[in-house]
Amino acid sequence: MADKKQEILKELYPEDIYQYSSKLTLGEAEVLQHTRQIIEKELRPVINEYWEKAQFPFEAFYKLADAGIMNNPKLFVGREGETKPSQIYNTFLYYELARFDASIATFYTVHGGLGYNTILIGGNERQIAEFAPKVANFEWQTCFALTEPDHGSDIAGGLATSAKRDGDNWILNGEKRWIGGADTADIVPVFARDVDDGKIKCFIVRKGAEGYHAEPIPRKVALRPVQNGHITMENVVVPESDRLEHINGFKDVAKILVNTRTDVAHIAMGITGGAYVAAVKYVKEREQFGKKVAAYQITQEKLARMLANVTSVIGFSTRLAELMEEGQYEMVNASLAKMNNSLLMRETVALAREVVGGNGITLDTDVSRFFADAEAIYTYEGTHDINALIVGREITGIGSFV
Ligand SMILES: Cc1cc2nc3c(=O)[nH]c(=O)nc-3n(C[C@H](O)[C@H](O)[C@H](O)COP(=O)(O)OP(=O)(O)OC[C@H]3O[C@@H](n4cnc5c(N)ncnc54)[C@H](O)[C@@H]3O)c2cc1C
């Protein structure tokens, strides 16, 4: 059985030369293998077209549900009664998706990471029972509405969207910006400040709610298929029964963010791996001065640096997954991984673009997508600076955000 698992993993991730993926179970490896088959059959043929026309390939994406990426019973062997698959599987699921395409991984993290974790962490039993299964099997699309036009990095203290209790209802007013999938989501968890006690709470706004409007942000040069919405809310009514009961302040929001910051570290890991694999493929095919570009020492030095980066980011992510599985993790762990993986991702996509030459700026080699998309990952889920400040506070004991 171990041989079968190793065979699958060698085929899926030949670049994982330190074999971090061997921590996956056979069942988890099989789900990832099935995911790869769906990606190659359904998504690869259309991804560049959708990137160029800035539309999301919903039909092809939802084929991923056939692999049961969030709830395949193979993921719960030995984890009976758990609501989520293992952290190591989660790490390699993000690796698998982002190694193919950052927009697909980002759309998934908004839905299956940010949105889903908000329901699991914030919801009461009834709310989890109503929302979680539909989100897990992709029947309902969800997202995560926290950032605002005037408050990005300083959202914890600055959040301005208001919620006013009115009998059995709440009235929401305000704006949100950059919210992935906001225009198509069936349920939108919106974070707003209760005008009476000043605390941040979370409200499920359902599709079609009066006064809710989401306009996709146009002319993006990264993650073009993902529609990031600018939301306006004017007297949107949400019943008390749709307020997530366990979110009562930013400390509860932080519990969600620590999970998704980890997921984004894994996305950076996937982009790093994907850019490396695409670059190796190209230089082995391309000839200049009568030899493969791969045959030149300067190219090989760059490939070696890229592989070192790939190995480093997989190491960061898998160790973080182990710590999370053991319940031993803090925001600083997630911030360190997101910061490190994003830095190495940025260097790797630049090296990949370099060795691919002119074709590295067309969509034909995959490298240009990774290169452009890396910039968005560098910024969302805590910019490089903000994550560095979280790590810096841990090192020095001095918070220097303001
Ligand atoms: C593609 C994309 C998808 C996103 N998806 C979502 C989503 O689904 N839901 C959601 O809620 N949000 C989402 N966001 C928002 C994202 O989390 C914010 O963009 C991020 O928090 C940064 O905020 P900002 O863009 O307003 O930058 P700002 O906060 O305005 O920062 C601008 C610059 O100033 C720096 N800076 C700020 N404060 C400090 C400081 N104290 N010290 C040093 N430097 C500082 C920053 O590092 C940055 O370089 C998304 C963003 C992008 C780009």
Side-chain angles (χ1 to χ4, degrees), residues 188-385:
V188 183
V190 170
F191 295 86
R193 195 180 294 281
D194 182 344
V195 293
D196 290 326
D197 66 9
K199 291 200 171 138
I200 293 173
K201 298 182 175 159
C202 184
F203 304 86
I204 300 291
V205 175
R206 297 184 187 235
K207 197 175 202 156
E210 213 170 308
Y212 173 93
H213 182 69
E215 192 65 41
I217 297 173
R219 298 188 292 180
K220 286 194 300 158
V221 297
L223 301 179
R224 286 174 56 75
V226 179
Q227 303 304 308
N228 291 97
H230 187 115
I231 299 174
T232 49
M233 284 165 292
E234 228 177 291
N235 295 324
V236 175
V237 178
V238 177
E240 162 65 8
S241 55
D242 278 354
R243 178 178 68 81
L244 296 183
E245 198 180 302
H246 299 304
I247 299 197
N248 290 297
F250 202 82
K251 64 175 190 337
D252 296 324
V253 184
K255 288 182 199 156
I256 304 163
L257 294 180
V258 78
N259 279 279
T260 46
R261 192 153 291 172
T262 302
D263 294 343
V264 179
H266 304 332
I267 292 179
M269 153 185 155
I271 294 173
T272 308
Y276 163 78
V277 169
V280 171
K281 179 170 179 283
Y282 184 87
V283 297
K284 282 184 169 175
E285 287 164 3
R286 173 82 172 167
E287 280 190 16
Q288 286 297 292
F289 298 98
K291 281 200 290 191
K292 302 284 185 203
V293 171
Y296 294 108
Q297 289 178 344
I298 293 177
T299 310
Q300 290 190 9
E301 189 272 345
K302 289 173 187 170
L303 296 178
R305 272 164 65 195
M306 289 161 76
L307 182 58
N309 286 352
V310 172
T311 308
S312 171
V313 294
I314 301 179
F316 259 74
S317 275
T318 47
R319 181 64 190 140
L320 186 57
E322 285 173 343
L323 287 173
M324 290 184 81
E325 199 64 55
E326 291 160 13
Q328 291 185 47
Y329 64 96
E330 306 289 340
M331 184 62 96
V332 67
N333 298 338
S335 290
L336 189 67
K338 202 271 173 173
M339 184 194 82
N340 176 71
N341 288 6
S342 302
L343 274 176
L344 296 184
M345 164 193 71
R346 222 183 189 193
E347 183 184 66
T348 307
V349 296
L351 286 168
R353 212 221 56 71
E354 207 173 297
V355 299
V356 173
N359 288 330
I361 62 159
T362 75
L363 286 170
D364 298 334
T365 60
D366 290 343
V367 169
S368 59
R369 260 192 297 117
F370 290 121
F371 183 75
D373 293 342
E375 287 305 301
I377 278 70
Y378 194 72
T379 287
Y380 76 63
E381 204 34 73
T383 63
H384 167 78
D385 305 320

Side-chain angles (χ1 to χ4, degrees), residues 144 146-147 152-153 178-180 223 228 376 380-381 383 385 389 401:
F144 182 83
L146 177 66
T147 305
S153 301
W178 288 114
I179 313 309
L223 301 179
N228 291 97
Y380 76 63
E381 204 34 73
T383 63
D385 305 320
L389 290 176
F401 295 88

Side-chain angles (χ1 to χ4, degrees), residues 12-13 21 24 28-29 31-36 39 61 64 67-71 75 85-101 104-106 108-109 112-113 138 263 266-267 269-270:
L12 291 180
Y13 311 121
S21 55
L24 292 159
E28 290 170 339
V31 174
L32 292 168
Q33 187 183 39
H34 190 183
T35 306
R36 173 71 60 87
I39 285 175
F61 176 82
L64 289 172
I69 59 174
M70 289 175 75
N71 57 5
L75 303 173
S86 76
Q87 290 294 340
I88 189 77
Y89 165 77
N90 186 53
T91 303
F92 278 90
L93 175 62
Y94 278 109
Y95 188 65
E96 178 61 33
L97 298 177
R99 184 182 180 276
F100 163 64
D101 180 67
I104 298 297
T106 296
Y108 176 70
T109 193
F138 294 96
D263 294 343
H266 304 332
I267 292 179
M269 153 185 155

